[in-house]
Amino acid sequence: DVKVTQSSRYLVKRTGEKVFLECVQDMDHENMFWYRQDPGLGLRLIYFSYDVKMKEKGDIPEGYSVSREKKERFSLILESASTNQTSMYLCASSRGTGGRLNTEAFFGQGTRLTVV
Amino acid sequence: AQKITQTQPGMFVQEKEAVTLDCTYDTSDQSYGLFWYKQPSSGEMIFLIYQGSYDEQNATEGRYSLNFQKARKSANLVISASQLGDSAMYFCAMREARRMDSNYQLIWGAGTKLIIKP
């Protein structure tokens, strides 16, 4: 059974803390993604990676950074957490699209982060 | 401008009835793909169905079908014989061919919360 695993389901952090959200996939996928999900806004892409040590900014990268040292692991880092980063964070992975439009993404269970 | 529009923030449907979830999209590409995902309260996004812009037939997967109307740029999800377990958020998403080189472009709608009543 394919799996994307996020390290925490729920997290509460204080303003100004450095926060690490971890994501691991066991499907040998090239691509990994971090999304933020807020009510009424759908999913917004923060960062993605198409290979080890490679990263690309998504639509809302400000206040975030990422790390991909190994193919199976993609970390999202909040350098100095703020209350407006309270949200649900979803990690996903997929094969390289290789010209295929129908490549689906597989998601983790999400991390609900509250910054107080 | 919104690329993917889901006009129904929430829907209540009686169990065993069919339900249609709306999705309209905006693209100038001729080649694109459309996806529907389900997100139960557990949080995990589950892929349901895919429709390619050049597919001649509407996609079907079990109780799910996609009512694809290319001229109207709509890709509505139809769930037949709804079940209590269908209660979830449903998201429509699109991938455009012209953005394939960036290898990531799934553009998402805001979602529709579907509640099935017993």
Side-chain angles (χ1 to χ4, degrees), chain A residues 43-63:
Chain A
L43 275 68
R44 292 180 292 167
L45 184 66
I46 304 171
Y47 269 98
F48 75 102
S49 167
Y50 54 89
D51 202 351
V52 175
K53 296 191 186 296
M54 306 304 289
K55 61 185 179 184
E56 293 286 343
K57 292 180 180 179
D59 300 315
I60 51 164
E62 296 78 18

Side-chain angles (χ1 to χ4, degrees), chain B residues 14 18 26 33 47 67 69 76 87 102 106 112:
Chain B
Q14 200 68 42
D26 181 24
F47 166 73
N67 183 1
Q69 298 188 37
N76 298 340
S87 294
S102 65
L106 269 179
T112 295

Side-chain angles (χ1 to χ4, degrees), chain B residues 36-62:
Chain B
W36 276 92
Y37 278 81
K38 171 184 178 180
Q39 186 184 39
S41 56
S42 58
E44 185 175 348
M45 299 282 275
I46 302 165
F47 166 73
L48 294 178
I49 197 167
Y50 169 83
Q51 178 85 42
S53 59
Y54 289 119
D55 293 343
E56 293 185 354
Q57 293 192 320
N58 287 344
T60 60
E61 289 285 348

Side-chain angles (χ1 to χ4, degrees), chain B residues 1-16:
Chain B
Q2 291 280 4
K3 283 265 188 179
I4 298 283
T5 302
Q6 294 181 253
T7 57
Q8 307 148 310
M11 285 185 74
F12 288 92
V13 172
Q14 200 68 42
E15 189 181 9
K16 297 180 185 173

Side-chain angles (χ1 to χ4, degrees), chain A residues 9 31 33 35 37 40-43 45 48 50 57-59 88 90 94-110, chain B residues 2 31-33 35 37 39 41-47 50 52-53 89 91 95-97 99-100 102-111:
Chain A
R9 288 296 305 274
N31 299 335
F33 312 84
Y35 289 93
Q37 181 183 6
L41 297 178
L43 275 68
L45 184 66
F48 75 102
Y50 54 89
K57 292 180 180 179
D59 300 315
M88 169 75 104
L90 291 169
S94 75
R95 293 174 292 147
T97 56
R100 293 180 299 271
L101 282 168
N102 63 347
T103 302
E104 68 182 272
F106 295 85
F107 284 81
Q109 77 277 27
Chain B
Q2 291 280 4
S31 181
Y32 51 89
F35 299 76
Y37 278 81
Q39 186 184 39
S41 56
S42 58
E44 185 175 348
M45 299 282 275
I46 302 165
F47 166 73
Y50 169 83
S53 59
M89 284 290 290
F91 291 92
R95 177 179 281 126
E96 297 169 296
R99 304 183 84 171
M100 289 289 285
S102 65
N103 216 4
Y104 80 101
Q105 283 295 353
L106 269 179
I107 304 162
W108 296 83

